[in-house]
Amino acid sequence: MADPYFGMVWRELTTLRHADGFQMLEKAYRAYKPWEEKMEELLGFSIEDAVYYTRELTDWITPRFEGRDSEVARYSPSLLDFPQKAIDLTDEAVWASEETLVDWCDDSPRFNNFINRLTVKPGTVTNFRTPVDVNPLEQAPFVQSDDEYLLPLPRTVLYALANTFYYDLIDSEYQGEFQLQFGDWLEEWATDCLSKVFTEDEIIQNYTYEYDGEKVEGDILILHGDEPLIIECKGKKLRAETRKGNFGGVDTIKEDVERGIGNAYHQADRLVAGVQSGQITQIRTSTGTTIDLDPASFEDARRWLVLGESYGSIATRDFAKILEITPVPYVCDIYDLQILAEVLDTPERLLHYIRQRIRQTAVQLRRPGTQYANSKTFCSDEIDYLAVYKRNGWEFPPGAQRIKGAGDNLREDTIDSIMDHREFRFTF
């Protein structure tokens, strides 16, 4: 059997790189907008400030990196140690004084609070030496030396903005409330995406039902024809040990995948199994109305799990071996869902894609062998799967093949289309 953990370390080098920068701003805005007053108290600026400053700074930084971003990225794992090679390489192109940053953006206490929060100084981080360590630049992407700032790659700022304020709020006096409600942004965004494909009457969000004498809440249920979709959303982050792949330990990987994908799967499967067995006969919507569920209508139910961050090849393929669950669900992250809903814009096309994608994953459980023979189409990026499916006439091609980079243009074009429609939440 192919080792599902082999090479998983490389997913850390590309984690979230499959998401577009504007999607990172969208996540930041959706995730932290409900906590804006708390952020003001803790940090001295709002999420609207943070999004605005980030867009302004990245617009100024990007031209300075033209033709040099790959060189800088090559040495970025060592920048906190400031080797002479990195200093010579970056020279004046990527250094800016505080005065320059203020001129670019805003001369205000709020901007000063923002830039100070996202800045790290050399020597303050001592455990970052290799690409498999957690990169502190994704929590504080600006590096300050004396009175100058080393400018980060623009995408690093965008990824940091989407994730870093979580650590402020989870360690604050609001941690209990925050932890319970932080995932709401994911369910709401998933519902918004699915609303482009299905009608309002077909989408049921935050429903409840009785099971074994307990009240259970589900995330999203789509009742379309005779093929319902049971969707569970999980924002569970992968720990550093899992991001290191087999270097971090197989047990940790199993635990993280079980807590992220596994728990979501068991929640979705409970509803399917309960309806099919007759134990669950109805659900109650958030408006208080009840909907009767017929066991026959759930014979072809699909379990669909939406993640709040990229799990890379864990989500597109490897979870099936790690967890050994059946029936196999469909797993994607919210960034891919936004693109799927834009490209597969009819229920019939989206449902057909999901059926075919589940088959691509499930076949590996029946055909032992190498990673290339285990599935008909092997990709670590969901949008690569989508691109192959689209260009092959809305079908997956026969035979085993490994695909890489097929979806790059499709992702970019789709994000451009979404931006043209002005569908992102922020309005700056």
Side-chain angles (χ1 to χ4, degrees), residues 63-77:
R64 295 169 70 106
F65 276 99
E66 288 183 357
R68 308 191 69 176
D69 53 348
S70 60
E71 290 182 274
V72 175
R74 178 182 175 188
Y75 290 94
S76 60

Side-chain angles (χ1 to χ4, degrees), residues 327-347:
V328 174
Y330 174 56
V331 181
C332 72
D333 60 52
I334 185 63
Y335 317 104
D336 293 336
L337 172 57
Q338 187 176 37
I339 294 174
L340 290 168
E342 184 78 11
V343 176
L344 307 170
D345 55 0
T346 68

Side-chain angles (χ1 to χ4, degrees), residues 1 43 157 159 166 248 271 298 310 327 337 341 358 395 426:
M1 296 286 285
L43 304 173
V157 188
Y159 299 144
Y166 172 90
L271 178 63
F298 268 63
S310 173
L337 172 57
I358 290 174
E395 292 279 356
F426 49 84

Side-chain angles (χ1 to χ4, degrees), residues 291-346:
I291 299 175
D292 294 330
L293 301 178
D294 180 10
S297 67
F298 268 63
E299 288 183 2
D300 294 320
R302 306 291 173 185
R303 301 151 182 84
W304 185 350
L305 317 179
V306 178
L307 305 174
E309 71 168 57
S310 173
Y311 278 29
S313 61
I314 293 177
T316 58
R317 202 181 87 116
D318 293 330
F319 76 87
K321 283 187 175 181
I322 295 172
L323 299 179
E324 298 181 351
I325 53 178
T326 185
V328 174
Y330 174 56
V331 181
C332 72
D333 60 52
I334 185 63
Y335 317 104
D336 293 336
L337 172 57
Q338 187 176 37
I339 294 174
L340 290 168
E342 184 78 11
V343 176
L344 307 170
D345 55 0
T346 68

Side-chain angles (χ1 to χ4, degrees), residues 64-354:
R64 295 169 70 106
F65 276 99
E66 288 183 357
R68 308 191 69 176
D69 53 348
S70 60
E71 290 182 274
V72 175
R74 178 182 175 188
Y75 290 94
S76 60
S78 301
L79 284 180
L80 289 186
D81 295 324
F82 279 72
Q84 188 62 44
K85 176 63 178 178
I87 294 176
D88 293 342
L89 173 68
T90 55
D91 198 22
E92 297 180 358
V94 293
W95 288 93
S97 66
E98 184 173 353
E99 182 180 356
T100 299
L101 293 182
V102 168
D103 289 342
W104 282 354
C105 206
D106 185 21
D107 186 7
S108 71
R110 301 175 78 85
F111 176 69
N112 287 332
N113 292 336
F114 169 78
I115 201 67
N116 289 337
R117 167 59 183 79
L118 295 186
T119 295
V120 63
K121 295 184 179 180
T124 58
V125 179
T126 59
N127 61 346
F128 181 60
R129 291 293 180 272
T130 73
V132 297
D133 291 321
V134 176
N135 191 338
L137 297 181
E138 293 206 0
Q139 291 190 37
F142 290 87
V143 180
Q144 184 180 14
S145 178
D146 295 327
D147 60 346
E148 289 193 308
Y149 292 83
L150 179 64
L151 303 179
L153 296 174
R155 68 183 185 187
T156 304
V157 188
L158 299 172
Y159 299 144
L161 194 71
N163 297 296
T164 189
F165 302 130
Y166 172 90
Y167 300 100
D168 297 294
L169 290 162
I170 202 65
D171 290 332
S172 72
E173 61 184 289
Y174 314 108
Q175 59 177 317
E177 179 188 6
F178 173 72
Q179 192 167 17
L180 288 173
Q181 300 180 27
F182 182 63
D184 292 351
W185 69 271
L186 178 56
E187 296 173 22
E188 293 170 2
W189 195 0
T191 300
D192 287 347
C193 293
L194 293 164
S195 297
K196 299 192 67 173
V197 181
F198 300 97
T199 66
E200 182 178 350
D201 293 338
E202 292 175 319
I203 302 175
I204 304 167
Q205 186 181 6
N206 296 327
Y207 59 93
T208 59
Y209 58 90
E210 296 289 332
Y211 186 77
D212 285 344
E214 296 184 6
K215 183 179 179 181
V216 181
E217 183 173 312
D219 290 340
I220 303 171
L221 173 63
I222 297 180
L223 296 175
H224 177 81
D226 59 356
E227 198 169 353
L229 295 171
I230 297 85
I231 302 172
E232 290 293 332
C233 303
K234 288 295 178 186
K236 173 67 181 175
K237 295 178 178 295
L238 298 179
R239 290 174 291 178
E241 290 80 2
T242 297
R243 293 192 177 283
K244 294 178 183 180
N246 46 347
F247 294 101
V250 171
D251 290 342
T252 304
I253 294 173
K254 287 183 177 179
E255 290 174 4
D256 270 8
V257 178
E258 179 62 48
R259 287 190 291 185
I261 294 175
N263 286 348
Y265 174 81
H266 297 313
Q267 291 171 358
D269 188 61
R270 176 174 50 197
L271 178 63
V272 177
V275 173
Q276 290 178 342
S277 67
Q279 296 182 66
I280 301 172
T281 58
Q282 63 179 207
I283 59 171
R284 182 176 293 273
T285 69
S286 57
T287 61
T289 60
T290 58
I291 299 175
D292 294 330
L293 301 178
D294 180 10
S297 67
F298 268 63
E299 288 183 2
D300 294 320
R302 306 291 173 185
R303 301 151 182 84
W304 185 350
L305 317 179
V306 178
L307 305 174
E309 71 168 57
S310 173
Y311 278 29
S313 61
I314 293 177
T316 58
R317 202 181 87 116
D318 293 330
F319 76 87
K321 283 187 175 181
I322 295 172
L323 299 179
E324 298 181 351
I325 53 178
T326 185
V328 174
Y330 174 56
V331 181
C332 72
D333 60 52
I334 185 63
Y335 317 104
D336 293 336
L337 172 57
Q338 187 176 37
I339 294 174
L340 290 168
E342 184 78 11
V343 176
L344 307 170
D345 55 0
T346 68
E348 293 71 28
R349 184 155 286 170
L350 179 60
L351 287 167
H352 182 264
Y353 177 80
I354 291 172

